[in-house]
Amino acid sequence: MSLLEVRNLHVRFDTADGEVHAVRNLSFELDRGETLGVVGESGSGKSQTVLSLIGLLADNGRASGSAMFDGQDLFNLSPGALRSIRGRRISMIFQDPMTSLNPYLTVAEQMVQVVREHDRMTRRAARDRCLEMLEAVKIPDAAERLDCYPHELSGGMRQRVMIAASLLLDPQILVADEPTTALDVTVQAQILELMKDLNRRLGTAIILITHDLGVIAGLCERVIVMHDGELKEQGNVRDVFYRPRHSYTKALLKAVPRLDAEQVERLAPAADSSLLSVDGLKVHFPVRTGGWLGEKRPLRAVDGVNLDLRSGETLGIVGESGCGKSTLARAILRLVPTTAGNVCLLGQSMGDLDKRALREMRRDAQVIFQDPLASLNPRMTVGNIVSEPLRTHFPELGADEVRTRVADVLRRVGLSGRELNRYPHEFSGGQCQRIGIARALVLKPKVIICDEPVSALDVSIQAQIVNLLMDLQAEFGLALIFIAHDLAVVRHISHRIMVMYLGRIMEVASRKALYETPHHPYTRALISAVPIPDPDKERDRDRELLPGDLPSPVDPPSGCRFRTRCRFAQDRCRTEAPQLRQLTDSLVACHRAGEAVLV
Amino acid sequence: MLRYATRRFLGALPTLFILIALAFFLIRVAPGGPFDSEKALLPEVEANLRAAYNLDEPLHQQFARYVWGLAQADFGPSFQYRDYTVTELIMTGFPVSLRLGGMAITLALLVGVTAGSLAALRQNTRTDYAVMSASMTGISIPNFVMAPLLILIFAVYLGWLPAGGLGDGSPRNMVLPVIALALPQIAYISRLTRGSMIEVLRSNFIRTARAQGLPMHKIVLRHALKPALLPVVSYLGPATAAVITGSVVIEQIFGVPGLGRFFVQGALNRDYTLVMGVVVFYGVLIIAFNLLVDLAYAWLDPKVKYS
Ligand code: SF4
């Protein structure tokens, strides 16, 4: 008999707009020790499904159907009985480890009370149990971490604490709701490895909810695909990935950008003069350390970056959070003050420009931001949003002319051109991003800087937006700087790629060279951390797991910035900062790149 | 921590100086003087008196003399109660006011936090509506209306409690003034607690605690109360100031011989030094209390560290 058997699950919410069905007629099973992946895009009902099982739906939600767990129907239990199952036999971890841990209590305080709620034991014994668990999830210096507050830990460490807390009572099911979505890719790899290991060692069944097919491919034995509150397909992970039956699954698998996809040759742009060049750019922010009224020190967000962009080219910039990629984008557009260095657009140094000339300049360099809805003024109509740059830069244009141009550009980005009088909130995330692109495009710029333009969007929408950007580039000869943390997306769109770490460039290479023969140890780890949505390949890969966390950009390591996490570090790496040097097709900043150990 | 406290206190000195200057000059601008009474004094006598209290000096000199005295913790002599120094008067009145105010704040915290939390836990139910409308009433009725009403009901009609004075010093005498003083604060604090508690209960870590199987009362006490109390703690600074202001009125109405009463008497009699003494004393008290509140805040919120 299965450990958990869900039959005809319905989840409804009473809202002001009437009843909303979040989950419809869902049935599935979970065996002891099994790993089940639940995959779907936002709004597919995947999170509500599990929340309803343990009675944590929002107040206006109702669940019906049956959920037999070890002979008891979870939907028929008294609140007290359900509570004794929650945390003890079915435990759960959530997406954002910062907000999911109580910031006002130490790690020990929050863990000890879970143990003592379910098991009679002394505080001392409970604390020992917690310590054991922290060690089991491989937290370094676990004994000291017990008395830390969550904000004193890094994101990856917090997620480890969450996992430790959820495993304290040896539950039969661990439900993980997007456990790695808020984490950097190298940290995600650590956490996934940990969950795999725990599943093997402790035999805990895992329900993994995620939008990331790659994560499922690596971890799960069985998969449920959900869409719009309904189950579309379920089965063995190999069947679902290699022989999908439902059209939605097929479409989803096709839409995911994958690292192992065939490299469609992207025609290199004519190597004429450089359109944009950045030389020795530094951006330091003064930050207070040691709390309020503490000493002010520079946070080296960008610390000496050079780059060149040719017309018609896409330069991808990748790196984990805190590597300075977004700051770099803003500094290029002079949206943040630079500390040193120079930016030249079309041969003109932007440092010498006065306000007016700078505005002229901005006509040629536009930007698209990450959160599509937040970057559009909610009180302006789409027509006004898109026409605003036109009206500022070409005040002489007549109203009719403006109108036609705006409608044209809206059509060009795949909208109907009739959206002029509507407001941003009436559109979906993907449509909002199209509006943002239209706004950037309306001035016919030469360069568009895209700062994580698709990371807030669902996979299928991501692909559309990326393809749109590529089409527009071909049509208008645009140069793009495409900033993202997702290496697969960057690979899909870029001609050249730059890898950043703690404000410095680690490696720059053509797309082919970077993914086929990465030279820098960080690039290699980064690429090997990206999960591939292919169960066999994903399980056969040799992972280069990076240890530890990103050091603070206020106090970067001496010499090579990457040395604290580098397997190949030597004495020289501590004293001497490696400069970018040419190595076959790449520019690499590593003392040891090219040595045999690294290949 | 100690360094932070010292720095904060030094930082408050300019504020204090402005306060002293304002009080000093404003009260002198007010018509009348300390020696006006029904019976006009002989001009020579008055001149002598003025000389004795240095009131014949130019204003700036008087001010300098006063500030110099303050620096040595000397509030000067009272003009009205001529046998006492202002310091002695403050020391007689303050313990009474402190007891009154302290009890009022404690009561406000206990009742306000409980009522606010209950309202938050039972959001949009009858309990919630009852608490909220009661507190709206508490906020909108000024204490000089509320106090006589309380006296009318509980002292005059029901005869349960004494109407005023300290009588034999039994606690019964304090009940009405404490309640009158605490009511508006109860109202504010319960609204504040309700708002922040609702917000905290919506946060992800509460969901985690529920997923861990903790019962609601433990979730509230262990997880939610501390963060929900932070805004209340910050409000304690203004609350003390409000209670001090309130006590001036309440002590007058209930005939409690506290510092507030001295202040009112002093103001009516143009007892310059007494009025200023009370102002400065309360000023220092409020500054010190705000510092305490900030330190308490740092203690509650691990992310705030003062160095
Ligand atoms: S320079 Fe040294 S520490 Fe840095 S990446 Fe190369 S080998 Fe590693």
Side-chain angles (χ1 to χ4, degrees):
Chain A
M1 199 186 71
S2 318
L3 180 61
L4 177 70
E5 212 178 300
V6 177
R7 289 280 164 262
N8 309 327
L9 173 69
H10 283 267
V11 179
R12 304 180 184 81
F13 289 96
D14 294 321
T15 69
D17 303 332
E19 200 168 69
V20 174
H21 292 256
V23 179
R24 254 169 285 154
N25 206 14
L26 176 70
S27 303
F28 67 92
E29 280 150 38
L30 177 76
D31 282 332
R32 276 169 218 282
E34 192 182 26
T35 44
L36 172 72
V38 182
V39 69
E41 297 180 289
S42 51
S44 62
K46 55 191 195 303
S47 297
Q48 299 307 332
T49 303
V50 283
L51 288 176
S52 72
L53 294 183
I54 52 175
L56 287 186
L57 283 180
D59 288 341
N60 60 345
R62 275 174 301 127
S64 61
S66 76
M68 299 303 288
F69 170 68
D70 224 10
Q72 299 164 290
D73 187 348
L74 291 175
F75 293 149
N76 276 335
L77 290 177
S78 68
L82 190 58
R83 221 169 37 228
S84 68
I85 288 181
R86 281 206 298 254
R88 173 179 196 94
R89 305 183 58 197
I90 303 180
S91 65
M92 186 152 181
I93 57 177
F94 298 95
Q95 171 167 354
D96 186 349
M98 181 66 222
T99 58
S100 297
L101 288 171
N102 189 334
Y104 302 96
L105 299 180
T106 63
V107 169
E109 281 166 338
Q110 10 204 334
M111 288 177 77
V112 165
Q113 63 188 16
V114 182
V115 180
R116 298 190 66 207
E117 180 63 35
H118 296 283
D119 269 354
R120 284 182 166 275
M121 61 163 74
T122 62
R123 202 168 281 276
R124 192 67 255 160
R127 203 182 144 96
D128 289 342
R129 167 94 65 91
C130 297
L131 182 60
E132 241 169 68
M133 218 54 235
L134 286 185
E135 275 160 0
V137 299
K138 306 199 180 93
I139 288 194
D141 308 319
E144 283 153 49
R145 300 286 175 241
L146 266 180
D147 296 311
C148 283
Y149 287 97
H151 73 271
E152 295 167 314
L153 305 174
S154 68
M157 205 91 91
R158 283 182 219 134
Q159 197 58 297
R160 278 172 200 266
V161 170
M162 273 300 289
I163 295 178
S166 65
L167 293 177
L168 280 170
L169 299 155
D170 196 10
Q172 281 145 304
I173 304 179
L174 172 65
V175 181
D177 187 0
E178 301 270 8
T180 56
T181 307
L183 304 175
D184 278 321
V185 59
T186 58
V187 180
Q188 160 171 302
Q190 296 171 0
I191 298 289
L192 291 176
E193 202 55 42
L194 172 70
M195 288 177 56
K196 233 183 272 182
D197 181 52
L198 291 171
N199 168 256
R200 256 195 316 260
R201 269 195 348 233
L202 309 176
T204 317
I206 294 180
I207 301 183
L208 177 72
I209 303 167
T210 179
H211 67 280
D212 190 334
L213 287 164
V215 169
I216 299 237
L219 191 67
C220 301
E221 294 156 43
R222 243 162 22 86
V223 190
I224 293 179
V225 183
M226 286 187 72
H227 181 58
D228 263 347
E230 283 174 17
L231 179 127
K232 294 293 175 197
E233 179 157 2
Q234 72 172 315
N236 179 284
V237 68
R238 280 197 181 71
D239 291 337
V240 172
F241 275 79
Y242 299 138
R243 290 172 291 280
R245 275 167 298 153
H246 197 280
S247 56
Y248 176 73
T249 319
K250 290 180 192 161
L252 199 61
L253 279 164
K254 232 174 106 188
V256 204
R258 28 201 310 167
L259 270 190
D260 60 333
E262 252 177 68
Q263 296 246 14
V264 192
E265 209 42 61
R266 292 216 60 192
L267 283 186
D272 56 356
S273 62
S274 102
L275 191 63
L276 174 83
S277 72
V278 172
D279 190 28
L281 192 68
K282 289 188 184 183
V283 183
H284 295 180
F285 301 110
V287 290
R288 286 191 193 284
T289 52
W292 212 70
L293 289 177
E295 184 193 354
K296 269 197 180 168
R297 294 171 58 191
L299 181 149
R300 300 158 190 278
V302 175
D303 208 19
V305 164
N306 302 327
L307 67 85
D308 256 306
L309 185 69
R310 281 159 290 195
S311 54
E313 182 190 37
T314 303
L315 174 69
I317 303 183
V318 293
E320 298 175 284
S321 51
C323 74
K325 52 191 194 300
S326 289
T327 310
L328 174 63
R330 290 188 162 76
I332 290 176
L333 294 169
R334 312 213 97 220
L335 297 177
V336 293
T338 55
T339 311
N342 194 14
V343 177
C344 270
L345 184 63
L346 298 165
Q348 272 247 30
S349 164
M350 291 180 80
D352 315 334
L353 298 178
D354 59 17
K355 267 213 178 104
R356 253 197 60 218
L358 196 64
R359 219 177 47 218
E360 297 269 289
M361 223 56 201
R362 287 219 175 109
R363 212 161 63 194
D364 292 319
Q366 290 290 315
V367 63
I368 304 170
F369 292 107
Q370 166 170 3
D371 188 344
L373 189 54
S375 55
L376 304 177
N377 185 341
R379 281 187 204 81
M380 279 166 77
T381 61
V382 170
N384 282 333
I385 290 173
V386 178
S387 66
E388 193 179 33
L390 266 187
R391 284 179 282 125
T392 11
H393 288 283
F394 302 101
E396 70 278 4
L397 285 182
D400 282 345
E401 173 69 16
V402 169
R403 205 164 240 289
T404 12
R405 284 207 200 179
V406 169
D408 272 350
V409 76
L410 283 175
R411 269 194 294 276
R412 193 57 210 84
V413 299
L415 297 166
S416 71
R418 288 190 300 274
E419 294 85 355
L420 296 183
N421 293 319
R422 293 165 64 190
Y423 289 87
H425 68 87
E426 299 173 46
F427 296 90
S428 69
Q431 287 172 322
C432 283
Q433 199 55 293
R434 286 174 195 268
I435 297 169
I437 295 175
R439 174 176 58 184
L441 211 59
V442 76
L443 289 173
K444 304 205 166 67
K446 306 232 165 30
V447 185
I448 297 185
I449 299 185
C450 315
D451 187 5
E452 302 265 12
V454 297
S455 45
L457 305 174
D458 276 327
V459 182
S460 52
I461 315 290
Q462 277 189 10
Q464 294 170 9
I465 297 289
V466 168
N467 289 336
L468 171 67
L469 284 170
M470 286 166 74
D471 291 348
L472 293 173
Q473 174 168 54
E475 186 175 334
F476 299 107
L478 284 173
L480 297 178
I481 292 184
F482 191 93
I483 297 171
H485 65 275
D486 186 332
L487 274 87
V489 175
V490 170
R491 177 174 181 271
H492 186 61
I493 194 174
S494 310
H495 296 102
R496 270 192 314 143
I497 292 159
M498 183 167 119
V499 180
M500 286 183 75
Y501 186 79
L502 281 183
R504 291 249 172 98
I505 301 177
M506 297 288 117
E507 182 161 2
V508 191
S510 72
R511 175 172 72 153
K512 191 165 182 316
L514 192 93
Y515 285 96
E516 281 173 12
T517 50
H519 288 292
H520 198 285
Y522 179 59
T523 316
R524 295 162 53 114
L526 209 52
I527 291 176
S528 103
V530 181
I532 298 178
D534 182 318
D536 287 338
K537 274 195 203 166
E538 179 64 13
R539 282 161 218 226
D540 284 346
R541 283 166 90 195
D542 279 329
R543 274 255 145 68
E544 279 187 41
L545 271 191
L546 276 191
D549 294 300
L550 200 75
S552 153
V554 179
D555 229 339
S558 63
C560 175
R561 297 257 155 121
F562 183 57
R563 73 173 162 80
T564 49
R565 298 170 77 192
C566 180
R567 279 200 291 148
F568 308 103
Q570 294 175 324
D571 280 349
R572 183 175 169 208
C573 305
R574 183 167 43 233
T575 50
E576 199 183 321
Q579 299 301 315
L580 277 178
R581 64 195 165 95
Q582 188 77 39
L583 204 78
T584 57
D585 293 335
S586 318
L587 283 170
V588 192
C590 169
H591 294 309
R592 304 193 61 190
E595 283 180 32
V597 279
L598 277 163
V599 184
Chain B
M1 181 92 149
L2 200 68
R3 258 184 55 207
Y4 170 75
T6 334
R7 195 158 36 186
R8 270 285 302 268
F9 205 80
L10 292 179
L13 283 181
T15 321
L16 204 57
F17 184 78
I18 294 173
L19 180 76
I20 296 169
L22 269 179
F24 184 90
F25 292 108
L26 275 182
I27 193 162
R28 277 168 173 71
V29 171
F35 309 114
D36 299 350
S37 51
E38 303 90 68
K39 232 171 12 133
L41 291 171
L42 291 174
E44 305 85 79
V45 179
E46 187 171 342
N48 275 343
L49 269 173
R50 295 182 69 89
Y53 289 108
N54 300 316
L55 288 177
D56 50 350
E57 289 177 4
L59 260 189
H60 61 91
Q61 213 166 328
Q62 287 183 43
F63 183 63
R65 183 187 294 280
Y66 184 69
V67 173
W68 179 240
L70 278 185
Q72 297 158 355
D74 176 10
F75 287 102
S78 165
F79 294 169
Q80 197 62 40
Y81 307 91
R82 303 221 173 115
D83 299 333
Y84 299 95
T85 64
V86 171
T87 317
E88 282 165 343
L89 289 176
I90 290 179
M91 282 309 131
T92 5
F94 180 59
V96 180
S97 296
L98 180 66
R99 220 172 71 189
L100 179 64
M103 289 200 288
I105 293 245
T106 318
L107 183 71
L109 273 176
L110 284 178
V111 180
V113 168
T114 320
S117 306
L118 272 181
L121 282 170
R122 311 220 190 299
Q123 204 191 337
N124 299 331
T125 62
R126 258 187 245 150
T127 322
D128 185 15
Y129 297 140
V131 170
M132 281 306 100
S133 34
S135 79
M136 206 55 231
T137 321
I139 289 172
S140 40
I141 299 184
N143 53 12
F144 55 83
V145 176
M146 184 57 89
L149 273 179
L150 287 175
I151 295 180
L152 263 182
I153 297 172
F154 293 100
V156 179
Y157 293 146
L158 297 173
W160 290 353
L161 293 159
L166 278 189
D168 51 2
S170 89
R172 284 165 42 94
N173 297 294
M174 287 298 246
V175 174
L176 282 184
V178 165
I179 290 180
L181 197 51
L183 272 179
Q185 303 313 316
I186 293 179
Y188 272 115
I189 291 177
S190 61
R191 293 181 74 85
L192 209 56
T193 312
R194 176 183 180 268
S196 69
M197 184 61 96
I198 286 178
E199 206 177 304
V200 171
L201 285 178
R202 279 203 203 111
S203 52
N204 283 347
F205 61 82
I206 297 297
R207 185 182 60 181
T208 308
R210 290 181 60 200
Q212 288 167 337
L214 298 186
M216 207 54 203
H217 68 272
K218 286 191 189 163
I219 292 180
V220 171
L221 288 178
R222 290 191 196 150
H223 281 273
L225 198 58
K226 203 164 148 187
L229 278 184
L230 286 175
V232 178
V233 170
S234 335
Y235 173 67
L236 278 184
T240 329
V243 163
I244 288 175
T245 334
S247 72
V248 173
V249 177
I250 297 293
E251 287 177 10
Q252 197 65 24
I253 295 179
F254 286 95
V256 178
L259 206 45
R261 250 173 86 94
F262 281 123
F263 182 75
V264 175
Q265 299 301 330
L268 291 177
N269 296 327
R270 301 287 179 277
D271 190 342
Y272 294 167
T273 42
L274 179 56
V275 169
M276 278 170 0
V278 176
V279 168
V280 172
F281 180 76
Y282 272 150
V284 173
L285 202 71
I286 289 177
I287 288 169
F289 199 79
N290 273 307
L291 176 66
L292 272 183
V293 164
D294 282 355
L295 293 179
Y297 199 97
W299 176 70
L300 278 173
D301 186 347
K303 270 174 289 184
V304 183
K305 284 278 164 281
Y306 299 114
S307 54

